[in-house]
Amino acid sequence: MSQFKQVVTRNLKSYSKSLAEIDQQNSLDLMLQLLEYHTINGYCSEEKIDKAITLAPDSQEYFHEAFTGLMILSQLYLRSPKGFVKPQELLDAVTDLKIRPEFINEITQKLIELKETSNAEIERPLRLTSPQSITWRINISRQITDEMNFMRRTIVLQITTKNSKIETLVIPIAMFHKLRFQVASALKSIQNLEGRASMKI
């Protein structure tokens, strides 16, 4: 098993069920369009994702999570050094995700196309696809009921994009910690891939 395949399997383990549930060509087409939009523009708003979901009503239960899985897969691939992950390795990694056989080649080819045209390649400055600014704060609200009195904490992230558009995300504390762990794990995997690539040079 290649190192890239191991990285993909480890980072997308929790998304495998949703990825396996992609069963309609229309849903996959919408996800790949969103993926291309994100790659080109450096972001994809929740509003745009929600609009896509309305166009695939039969996929609502798994659409968001499956798209997130494809997003993570694309970032792992696009951030790898150019030429480090061979097409067959990518195909094997996609196949191992239990995606329906009729969609495997299409997803693989789309990722290869995005790799060829993307500004997200590792040798390019990351600032080209970085947001203009990110601010965050902790919101604490007190909730009182007849039976209990407790404090509810959430993380509020405000991301200002390159076109000055502000995206706001409200995340529960537990989900924020999960996000931190997944991001740290993905970054470590990318660093391992980069390290392996530098050793080959």
Side-chain angles (χ1 to χ4, degrees), residues 57-111:
D58 294 336
S59 308
Q60 288 185 4
E61 291 187 4
Y62 65 79
F63 190 101
H64 201 289
E65 188 165 344
F67 172 65
T68 302
L70 288 178
M71 179 78 71
I72 294 173
L73 171 64
S74 73
Q75 290 303 301
L76 289 172
Y77 178 59
L78 294 176
R79 296 293 184 184
S80 66
K82 187 175 182 179
F84 180 70
V85 180
K86 306 302 181 186
Q88 186 61 47
E89 290 181 82
L90 176 61
L91 179 63
D92 291 343
V94 175
T95 302
D96 199 52
L97 294 174
K98 310 303 181 185
I99 294 172
R100 287 178 178 256
E102 60 267 31
F103 297 147
I104 290 175
N105 286 332
E106 185 175 355
I107 292 173
T108 302
Q109 187 57 42
K110 172 57 72 173
L111 291 175

Side-chain angles (χ1 to χ4, degrees), residues 131-175:
Q132 182 175 326
S133 66
I134 299 177
T135 59
W136 66 279
R137 68 177 186 272
I138 299 177
N139 272 4
I140 301 177
S141 59
R142 188 173 186 177
Q143 298 186 359
I144 302 175
T145 67
D146 293 337
E147 299 178 352
M148 63 181 65
N149 180 353
F150 62 95
M151 309 297 286
R152 183 172 181 269
R153 296 175 297 167
T154 55
I155 301 292
V156 179
L157 291 174
Q158 284 194 328
I159 304 172
T160 303
T161 63
K162 292 178 292 185
N163 59 0
S164 298
K165 183 178 180 180
I166 297 177
E167 303 288 348
T168 301
L169 300 176
V170 180
I171 309 172
I173 289 290
M175 186 178 293

Side-chain angles (χ1 to χ4, degrees), residues 44-58:
C44 187
S45 67
E46 283 294 324
E47 290 82 2
K48 196 169 187 66
I49 297 174
D50 290 341
K51 184 177 180 180
I53 292 176
T54 63
L55 299 176
D58 294 336

